[in-house]
Amino acid sequence: MSKNAKLAVLGSINADHILNLAHFPRPGETVIGQNYQIAFGGKGANQAVAAGRAGADIAFIACVGADDMGKRIRDQLTQDNIDTTPVEVVEGESTGVAMIFVNGDGENNIGIYSGANAALTPDCVARHQHVIADADALLMQLESPLESVLAAATLARQHHTQVILNPAPATSLSDELLALVDIITPNETEAESLTGIAVNSDEDAARAAEVLHAKGIGTVLITLGRRGVWLSERGEGQRIAGFSVKAIDTIAAGDTFNGAFITARLEQKPMYDAVRFAHAAAAIAVTRPGAQPSVPWRTEIDDFLQ
Ligand code: ADP
């Protein structure tokens, strides 16, 4: 892989509508909110933005609706250093939406409409197969149709493109898909969904990693929130601590970690250094509110690591 190694990200785009209110409405009740904002989100877009701002040469395979929101999001992604040529505009669908209620205790209730994200079908993946074939790595999550994730991973394997899967949101996955993954990056909850092992300690993480290695995955990175990550490369595991910061909002911490990590790996940083780079990016993100607004640019990550 050269300095200009290419990254493809495949995943979701959502407009997050966030309403803060004193308490969640009960059935039939109307509650007047205190604050409302629209933020750009979706795990695919968040990870693409994290990679773009970290300096990756990245193209994003995704779908938006033929609406004003879709246009605004595409424009923003372009400003975040992302090639949006493979972002399809789907006629007759709206851009994906997340309706988020946040109550006075900071808890949230979320309803999602997939909208155009559902149009990221295996046919759509096939239309952009040259992007996957040209890339050195393909980064995916699970907010897109599973059969499309499988189709993309299959294409990647055919073209010797490394597959990195962030298996979020939590679900179980087929052995067929897992066998096509080179690097997997679950958080503790997702690791439990995949392996049945509750991850409460480094020993648990090591056991969960072994289960994933047995499925054919060479590198397992279980993110452990403020404790850092458990890195396991076939038989050898270690915990790599994160940075101690005053976290105010951990939304998109994992997304930032993933985008920054693969960017660093494509620059041929050794595994340990790539994890530290990703820890730094995610640590900056948790000190700021929101999803994409919190994602740092390369200069900020480099300054943090000085
Ligand atoms: P997710 O957001 O997917 O649940 P985690 O909570 O495991 O993922 O966090 C991913 C990464 O974000 C961690 O490995 C770490 O680098 C960083 N991170 C998360 N929470 C904190 C925190 N409180 N302080 C510093 N870094 C954090």
Side-chain angles (χ1 to χ4, degrees), residues 21-300:
L21 23 71
H23 65 270
F24 295 133
R26 287 179 290 276
E29 187 188 13
T30 300
V31 176
I32 309 284
Q34 287 115 11
N35 183 52
Y36 168 71
Q37 56 170 317
I38 298 177
F40 298 157
K43 290 182 191 299
N46 293 346
Q47 294 184 18
V49 166
R53 291 188 192 166
D57 181 349
I58 169 196
F60 186 27
I61 303 170
C63 294
V64 290
D67 48 20
D68 181 55
M69 189 60 77
K71 188 179 172 330
R72 282 170 54 193
I73 291 174
R74 271 184 70 150
D75 289 349
Q76 179 60 49
L77 292 171
T78 307
Q79 285 174 32
D80 285 323
N81 193 28
I82 296 163
D83 176 2
T84 58
T85 315
V87 176
E88 291 196 5
V89 178
V90 183
E91 293 297 331
E93 256 306 354
S94 74
T95 297
V97 175
M99 312 295 288
I100 306 175
F101 285 159
V102 182
N103 73 8
D105 294 329
E107 297 168 322
N108 56 41
N109 249 340
I110 305 178
I112 286 191
Y113 178 60
S114 293
N117 291 308
L120 212 174
T121 58
D123 281 348
C124 174
V125 172
R127 282 194 290 279
H128 301 290
Q129 62 175 297
H130 59 282
V131 177
I132 295 171
D134 286 352
D136 296 280
L138 169 67
L139 171 62
M140 298 188 284
Q141 321 74 32
L142 301 176
E143 283 184 344
S144 303
L146 263 187
E147 65 269 24
S148 306
V149 173
L150 178 62
T154 305
L155 280 169
R157 182 55 62 92
Q158 282 164 10
H159 293 283
H160 308 290
T161 301
Q162 190 174 46
V163 174
I164 168 166
L165 179 67
N166 175 231
T171 186
S172 58
L173 291 174
S174 69
D175 286 352
E176 183 188 14
L177 174 58
L178 292 174
L180 294 168
V181 174
D182 298 294
I183 304 175
I184 197 160
T185 60
N187 66 13
E188 291 148 300
T189 315
E190 293 144 10
E192 180 173 354
S193 296
L194 293 174
T195 65
I197 296 171
V199 178
N200 297 312
S201 65
D202 289 354
E203 291 70 29
D204 295 338
R207 285 195 299 127
E210 283 311 318
V211 172
L212 293 167
H213 287 317
K215 306 272 186 195
I217 303 171
T219 302
V220 178
L221 269 165
I222 302 177
T223 62
L224 307 168
R226 58 190 317 198
R227 295 182 61 244
V229 299
W230 181 260
L231 166 66
S232 180
E233 294 181 279
R234 287 203 193 283
E236 289 220 17
Q238 62 173 314
R239 188 163 63 82
I240 303 177
F243 291 97
S244 182
V245 291
K246 191 170 177 341
I248 61 156
D249 175 352
T250 59
I251 289 176
D255 292 338
T256 304
F257 182 93
N258 277 276
F261 168 76
I262 194 62
T263 301
R265 283 298 284 163
L266 289 174
E267 289 176 12
Q268 294 186 302
K269 285 198 199 313
M271 190 61 83
Y272 182 86
D273 295 354
V275 169
R276 295 275 294 173
F277 182 84
H279 274 331
I284 297 169
V286 302
T287 63
R288 301 171 175 174
Q292 288 172 29
S294 73
V295 174
W297 287 84
R298 177 58 173 257
T299 50
E300 297 175 302

